[in-house]
Amino acid sequence: MSNRTVVPFGPQHPVLPEPIHLDLVLEDELVVEAIPSIGFIHRGLEKLVEKKDFIEFVYVAERICGICSFIHGQTYCQGIEELMKIQVPDRALFLRTIWGEMSRIHSHTLWLGLMADAFGFESLFMHSWRIRERLLDIIEETTGGRVIFGSCKIGGVRRDINSEVLQRIQGELNQMEKEMKEIANVFIKDKSVKNRLVGIGVLSRSEALMLGAVGPMLRASGVSQDMRKLGYAAYKNVEFEPITSEDGDSYARCVVRIKEVFQSFDIIRQCIQKIPAGPVDIKVTGNPSGEFFSRTEQPRGEVVYYLKANGTKNLERMRVRTPTFSNIPSIVKVIPGSQLADIPVLLLTIDPCISCTER
Amino acid sequence: MIEDQKMLDINLTDLNTLIQTCFDELYRLVQIGCTKTGEGYEVNYSFDKNYKFVNYKIKLKSNEEEIPSITGIYWNAFLYENELHDLFGLKIKGINVDFQGKLYKLAQPFPFSCGPEIKIVEKKEEKKNEQ
């Protein structure tokens, strides 16, 4: 047996500004064990629910994460709406879906750029973020924010998008889709990309299920599960099928995300065609009561908000289970057997977001 | 209604049998969470299979009651169980990867749920008593 060495990896990642630490046990260059360590940025946001009333807390929920900020707010709002039996206007549901899918494109193109940067493909990184930048301009135009949208509220949304702007957005998205195809071709076909991703960190279908993997991590292992199929917001009105791959390796996770970007373009297109006229919010009165698990599909996977209310303005409990929290065990299981040089790229394939994981 | 959710109250003694059944029937562990209810605690174990959501809830009179770890069945439960220990001071027996109260690396020791302001008052009182 070779000598065993423990290499501390992180909490600084070469390309990812997220603090996760791994103790990697090596035999020569081969990793034989990985012990994860998080907890550097726990902010106690769940505890804040005792001080902020249930309407104010939307602002806190949106700030749990900077990338899926909108979907955090949406998941919280739809949980409260469920407890209060609020019927949100259809137009608001379509707008939530449009902004939610924009968040997905934004998150996936950000991840693609980081991934390209991680394996040293700088031009691909720049092109991925160029597209993302154009999408951020659309988000800024329609919500007023580039990171925190601030457009979701209990009972609907704060802003409408008029039909002229929607048509223009449609045209811009069509153009972005064409450019995205060129980048996607490089990610899918380029030999140097394949060399770094194919066969790295294979997670089988049964492992993915039993380790609680979610999102692209789960679907890349052949499990067709996507919380959007629950039919929340306007997803019951659009046609789409979860994107899956059978290989379960890093390349499969990359391909799933690329295909999901195109799927998001398509869902936004369908929403723009089908969005009904009408109000975008309704007046909310009273306080919530009861308990509910609100589940949605973030770019990184299923997010769960547990809300427990007792009829007062402050919730009794608000708990968030983020997708990264659920994906950490899977990555810890697939790391053994990998080369040390592959770890930064492999860790990136779960698209970790530690700030929202620790809340 | 977005989805039907099954919420079931169970006894602590039935926990492992039920979790084993979930595992055998290929349910995915969605989350484990805790809520403080006065002096007691509620612990939720949530599962999903083909979008069917089931939640099992156990009620504890205090955090002195010991809960058996389910990491022998669902390996990935270790993060949730360490979190329950760190945030609520729950005693969980037999976690496969036990961070010993250091999952969250904060200046103050676990559990954090009683709030820093209470701990500061307690420390001040201790100092007074010493003087």
Side-chain angles (χ1 to χ4, degrees):
Chain A
M1 194 179 81
S2 312
N3 283 338
R4 287 197 165 192
T5 320
V6 179
V7 172
F9 178 91
Q12 295 295 322
H13 187 280
V15 298
L16 188 75
E18 294 278 359
I20 183 167
H21 175 88
L22 294 169
D23 281 317
L24 302 171
V25 183
L26 305 183
E27 278 180 10
D28 295 330
E29 290 284 310
L30 189 75
V31 184
V32 291
E33 198 182 350
I35 301 151
S37 189
I38 57 168
F40 301 95
I41 45 167
H42 176 65
R43 292 166 286 166
L45 291 181
E46 291 177 354
K47 184 82 177 157
L48 256 186
V49 83
E50 294 167 18
K51 299 221 169 123
K52 305 279 178 197
D53 72 43
F54 75 95
I55 291 174
E56 281 178 310
F57 200 79
V58 179
Y59 298 103
V60 180
E62 283 186 329
R63 280 155 182 80
I64 287 176
C65 178
I67 307 301
C68 18
S69 155
F70 179 80
I71 304 180
H72 270 291
Q74 180 189 0
T75 316
Y76 172 78
C77 287
Q78 96 184 12
I80 296 288
E81 287 153 4
E82 198 69 35
L83 292 177
M84 297 179 78
K85 314 244 178 316
I86 295 169
Q87 196 67 43
V88 178
D90 281 348
R91 187 169 180 85
L93 295 177
F94 274 83
L95 288 170
R96 281 182 182 180
T97 309
I98 290 171
W99 281 317
E101 290 310 308
M102 283 184 189
S103 295
R104 197 173 314 280
I105 300 171
H106 155 44
S107 176
H108 282 353
T109 46
L110 179 127
W111 180 83
L112 287 167
L114 288 173
M115 181 53 98
D117 193 23
F119 50 64
F121 206 145
E122 292 298 316
S123 60
L124 198 53
F125 158 56
M126 295 291 182
H127 282 298
S128 301
W129 280 33
R130 180 174 52 78
I131 290 184
R132 172 177 167 262
E133 202 60 29
R134 288 178 60 185
L135 188 84
L136 289 181
D137 289 341
I138 297 174
I139 291 171
E140 187 178 9
E141 185 190 344
T142 54
T143 68
R146 290 171 75 82
V147 178
I148 309 288
F149 296 9
S151 52
C152 205
K153 68 173 194 174
I154 296 163
V157 291
R158 285 199 176 79
R159 287 167 177 247
D160 198 353
I161 311 177
N162 68 41
S163 55
E164 290 82 43
V165 175
L166 279 175
Q167 289 310 315
R168 187 160 47 77
I169 289 172
Q170 167 82 73
E172 282 183 44
L173 290 175
N174 288 346
Q175 185 57 35
M176 283 165 60
E177 194 176 8
K178 270 186 204 162
E179 290 174 28
M180 188 66 211
K181 274 181 188 157
E182 291 171 20
I183 297 174
N185 265 338
V186 182
F187 272 107
I188 293 170
K189 292 178 184 166
D190 191 271
K191 193 181 168 192
S192 63
V193 176
K194 282 188 173 178
N195 279 347
R196 294 304 306 274
L197 300 179
V198 173
I200 303 293
V202 179
L203 185 71
S204 71
R205 182 191 157 85
S206 59
E207 280 175 334
L209 271 172
M210 288 299 106
L211 292 171
V214 292
M217 188 86 180
L218 178 69
R219 291 191 286 277
S221 295
V223 181
S224 174
Q225 194 171 59
D226 187 323
M227 287 306 129
R228 290 176 291 177
K229 289 307 263 182
L230 289 173
Y232 65 86
Y235 290 108
K236 55 189 168 297
N237 304 107
V238 294
E239 284 170 21
F240 74 100
E241 284 305 319
I243 286 162
T244 58
S245 174
E246 296 299 320
D247 300 334
D249 60 358
S250 298
Y251 180 73
R253 295 192 270 278
C254 183
V255 171
V256 165
R257 287 194 178 95
I258 289 169
K259 288 183 179 172
E260 284 186 359
V261 170
F262 292 108
Q263 186 180 55
S264 294
F265 281 125
D266 185 48
I267 291 174
I268 296 174
R269 196 176 296 124
Q270 289 186 52
C271 285
I272 291 175
Q273 283 162 5
K274 293 177 183 174
I275 189 168
V280 295
D281 65 343
I282 60 162
K283 199 177 172 193
V284 176
T285 53
N287 293 323
S289 177
E291 61 181 333
F292 187 70
F293 288 87
S294 179
R295 301 195 290 165
T296 59
E297 187 74 20
Q298 281 187 342
R300 297 176 171 94
E302 174 199 44
V303 66
V304 183
Y305 270 66
Y306 171 63
L307 305 170
K308 187 172 184 191
N310 52 12
T312 64
K313 65 183 180 133
N314 288 99
L315 297 183
E316 213 174 325
R317 175 81 166 122
M318 192 285 299
R319 182 221 176 347
V320 189
R321 200 280 279 132
T322 62
T324 302
F325 199 94
S326 205
N327 277 333
I328 287 176
S330 302
I331 199 73
V332 170
K333 273 283 181 189
V334 298
I335 282 177
S338 306
Q339 293 294 313
L340 178 61
D342 289 328
I343 302 302
V345 168
L346 182 48
L347 187 59
L348 261 187
T349 63
I350 64 164
D351 193 4
C353 181
I354 305 300
S355 60
C356 67
T357 295
E358 295 188 18
R359 296 144 279 141
Chain B
M1 192 79 177
I2 300 163
E3 60 172 327
D4 283 330
Q5 298 185 341
K6 225 181 190 181
M7 308 270 199
L8 302 165
D9 285 353
I10 59 165
N11 293 323
L12 183 56
T13 46
D14 299 332
L15 180 70
N16 266 341
T17 319
L18 277 166
I19 303 292
Q20 185 65 54
T21 312
C22 287
F23 185 83
D24 294 341
E25 291 177 9
L26 301 178
Y27 274 84
R28 173 174 63 88
L29 175 65
V30 172
Q31 69 94 39
I32 307 174
C34 180
T35 305
K36 191 158 185 353
T37 52
E39 290 301 304
Y41 296 84
E42 284 176 0
V43 186
N44 289 298
Y45 293 79
S46 313
F47 298 89
D48 173 281
K49 185 182 178 184
N50 299 329
Y51 306 108
K52 260 196 313 187
F53 185 87
V54 187
N55 184 68
Y56 296 110
K57 187 189 287 177
I58 53 172
K59 290 182 178 170
L60 306 173
K61 284 181 187 146
S62 77
N63 59 5
E64 290 301 311
E65 274 188 79
E66 204 170 61
I67 310 173
S69 169
I70 65 158
T71 51
I73 305 166
Y74 283 94
W75 183 85
N76 57 321
F78 72 91
L79 277 178
Y80 298 109
E81 292 184 341
N82 276 288
E83 189 179 67
L84 294 184
H85 174 259
D86 283 16
L87 299 187
F88 294 91
L90 298 188
K91 288 182 177 170
I92 299 165
K93 194 181 174 188
I95 309 177
N96 57 7
V97 185
D98 194 344
F99 288 87
Q100 306 280 341
K102 293 201 170 55
L103 177 70
Y104 293 116
K105 293 161 193 61
L106 300 184
Q108 65 181 59
F110 71 91
F112 316 123
S113 59
C114 64
E117 61 282 359
I118 297 170
K119 295 215 165 191
I120 290 164
V121 172
E122 282 173 356
K123 276 183 186 170
K124 278 182 182 171
E125 280 175 1
E126 272 175 31
K127 272 189 182 176
K128 266 186 188 175
N129 291 337
E130 282 170 13
Q131 286 167 358

